Amino acid sequence: MSRIASTARIHPMAIVEDGATIGENVTIGPFCTIGRDVVLKDDVEVVSNAVVTGKTEIGKGCRIFPMAVIGGLSQSLHEAGEDSTLTIGDNCTMREGVTINMGTVGGGGRTVIGNDCLFLANSHVAHDCILGNGIVMSNNVMLAGHVKVDDRAILGGGSAVHQFNRIGRNAFIGGLTAVNYDVIPYGMLNGNPGILAGLNIVGMTRAGIDRATIHRVRKAFKQIFEGEGNIRNNAAAIRDEYVDCREVIEILDFIAADSDRAISSPFRGKA
């Protein structure tokens, strides 16, 4: 049986399947379809001609625009209709044609998106992706399965991210970039194949990181990627020098963590 708040506004030409949970002040426009296992929390707006399906929970204040399909089955070749979920946090916006898939059993069974994320037209989040808060995915960005994107990362239009990749906090991915390997926090990646072009200084400044700290991060970046050893050994060797710099330690921890992918660098992919 559906649980529909008395303040919800549902257009008579929308379909809300029996079993859905619709919160206070939710607006559902014409020609929308809301599945039986969907939860729309308070103040959600589904504009028109959108589908929200599967075991999907949409957080407070989210907006879903026409032709978006949120909570569809994964596009994995191994998809067999197993039990899986999609959870989206508060105040996210999904513009026209956005597709976000549920998880798969093989990947943990869940796709998770944080708060305050913006998905521009025709961007895609595949199965088992884990996204943080304040992420911007521009038009036509494509995330393959099992991708992890940390807080405040920005992905430029038409960029494509290989499965199992990680993108660190405050990273910037340029338009049309092919993300084949992990991108460090505060990194800036451009090109096809993607080359680590330096640090996202603009993003760091907007995040309130002071000039002196940015200079220290720049110094660490050179030590890691221009040193004589390999990236992981260089990163480990400088840890003691930066124990008082949270931003550098964040980069070092990211490099040291287990991953299915290598680390993007200024040289990887060059002839």
Side-chain angles (χ1 to χ4, degrees):
M1 182 176 180
S2 296
R3 295 179 293 279
I4 301 176
S6 60
T7 54
R9 298 176 296 279
I10 301 173
H11 194 279
M13 299 188 76
I15 296 173
V16 177
E17 295 183 4
D18 190 32
T21 299
I22 310 298
E24 299 289 345
N25 300 310
V26 167
T27 300
I28 301 173
F31 309 111
C32 292
T33 299
I34 310 299
R36 64 184 181 184
D37 296 316
V38 169
V39 176
L40 303 182
K41 293 191 173 180
D42 297 349
D43 302 309
V44 167
E45 180 182 9
V46 189
V47 175
S48 69
N49 294 281
V51 175
V52 186
T53 187
K55 290 188 175 179
T56 295
E57 181 178 293
I58 307 292
K60 295 179 180 179
C62 288
R63 300 185 74 198
I64 302 173
F65 281 74
M67 312 313 294
V69 180
I70 310 300
L73 290 175
S74 79
Q75 298 178 81
S76 169
L77 294 174
H78 306 292
E79 174 62 54
E82 303 101 325
D83 192 27
S84 59
T85 64
L86 166 63
T87 304
I88 297 177
D90 298 340
N91 302 312
C92 292
T93 297
M94 289 140 273
R95 292 301 305 249
E96 294 81 358
V98 167
T99 51
I100 304 178
N101 295 159
M102 293 189 297
T104 63
V105 170
R110 65 194 188 111
T111 300
V112 179
I113 293 169
N115 303 323
D116 303 306
C117 294
L118 173 60
F119 302 90
L120 296 185
N122 300 307
S123 54
H124 172 69
V125 179
H127 58 90
D128 305 297
C129 288
I130 306 294
L131 277 62
N133 303 316
I135 291 163
V136 177
M137 285 178 46
S138 300
N139 296 54
N140 301 300
V141 171
M142 298 170 286
L143 302 186
H146 312 276
V147 167
K148 185 175 187 294
V149 184
D150 292 333
D151 295 352
R152 295 175 60 90
I154 296 176
L155 288 80
S159 55
V161 184
H162 191 285
Q163 63 183 357
F164 293 102
N165 264 329
R166 298 176 299 149
I167 297 176
R169 188 164 69 96
N170 279 99
F172 181 87
I173 310 300
L176 301 177
T177 294
V179 185
N180 297 319
Y181 304 105
D182 292 348
V183 182
I184 60 168
Y186 313 105
M188 183 165 60
L189 198 78
N190 287 295
N192 184 2
I195 302 297
L196 193 64
L199 295 171
N200 179 20
I201 302 300
V202 172
M204 296 175 76
T205 302
R206 289 175 177 171
I209 300 173
D210 62 76
R211 196 175 193 83
T213 300
I214 290 173
H215 283 305
R216 292 194 74 191
V217 178
R218 273 178 161 165
K219 178 184 176 183
F221 182 93
K222 290 182 179 180
Q223 291 171 300
I224 294 166
F225 293 103
E226 298 178 14
E228 293 183 358
N230 66 47
I231 292 170
R232 291 185 184 276
N233 288 343
N234 290 344
I238 66 171
R239 181 174 288 272
D240 289 346
E241 182 179 348
Y242 293 98
V243 290
D244 60 338
C245 184
R246 180 178 65 87
E247 290 77 9
V248 173
I249 293 300
E250 184 178 357
I251 293 172
L252 302 184
D253 287 344
F254 184 93
I255 292 171
D258 289 335
S259 177
D260 293 293
R261 307 296 293 167
I263 300 291
S264 296
S265 81
F267 313 106
R268 189 179 299 281
K270 288 186 176 180

